[in-house]
Amino acid sequence: DGKGNFEAMSSELSGIILPGDSKGTSWGDLDNDGQPELIITTNDGPINSFKLNAKTKLPPLVQIRLKGTKNNPTAIGAIVRVQVSNNTQFTRTITAGSGYLSQNPQTMLFPAQIRGKNATITWPDGLVTSTSIPTSNTNPVISR
């Protein structure tokens, strides 16, 4: 509903009807246009992706990739927090193995308004670092 609440709906209402046994969903920017695509896996079937069909031009999202340590190069378990105002904070966590035959992307998508803001990263080993999000790069890589 745009306020963080979800309501179950039929496939007919959602507009997504897939044959077969769908198992996992995820979001990812497959074509690097700054907008996420919905990815749905099917048991013993194809992987389906759906592109956002926005009537208005949306600003590109910021896709952050973390570069961790030798033993955890994708920084699984890291938490990224970006405070954009007194009332608005965005938080993302790198996770792995969240669904049946699926894997979450190792990048995090944030709204464009985080550009130029400070990101606080809690790395899997507990180290906390801070870095500024670039204003022009929509795909920054942050290293431990």
Side-chain angles (χ1 to χ4, degrees):
D1 68 2
K3 297 176 185 170
N5 303 306
F6 296 90
E7 183 177 317
M9 66 174 55
S10 69
S11 56
E12 290 82 12
L13 281 175
S14 75
I16 299 175
I17 301 172
L18 296 172
D21 184 17
S22 296
K23 289 292 187 185
T25 60
S26 186
W27 290 97
D29 186 6
L30 299 176
D31 56 6
N32 290 318
D33 68 350
Q35 299 302 325
E37 286 76 43
L38 175 64
I39 305 157
I40 302 174
T41 61
T42 306
N43 191 23
D44 293 327
I47 296 173
N48 300 279
S49 66
F50 297 88
K51 187 167 183 60
L52 180 66
N53 186 8
K55 293 181 180 180
T56 59
K57 180 70 175 151
L58 299 171
L61 297 176
V62 177
Q63 180 173 252
I64 295 176
R65 178 179 304 275
L66 297 181
K67 186 175 179 184
T69 62
K70 178 182 174 187
N71 293 331
N72 186 0
T74 56
I76 292 170
I79 301 168
V80 177
R81 292 180 183 87
V82 182
Q83 189 84 31
V84 294
S85 71
N86 287 338
N87 299 326
T88 306
Q89 174 180 287
F90 297 101
T91 303
R92 304 285 187 274
T93 304
I94 296 288
T95 60
S98 65
Y100 178 79
L101 295 177
S102 64
Q103 177 69 36
N104 288 347
Q106 299 305 300
T107 57
M108 297 163 282
L109 294 172
F110 288 89
Q113 69 197 76
I114 74 160
R115 288 190 181 103
K117 303 295 182 185
N118 203 42
T120 301
I121 303 154
T122 304
W123 297 92
D125 63 0
L127 177 70
V128 178
T129 61
S130 184
T131 189
S132 180
I133 303 298
T135 57
S136 59
N137 183 354
T138 58
N139 297 302
V141 176
I142 301 171
S143 297
R144 186 178 178 291

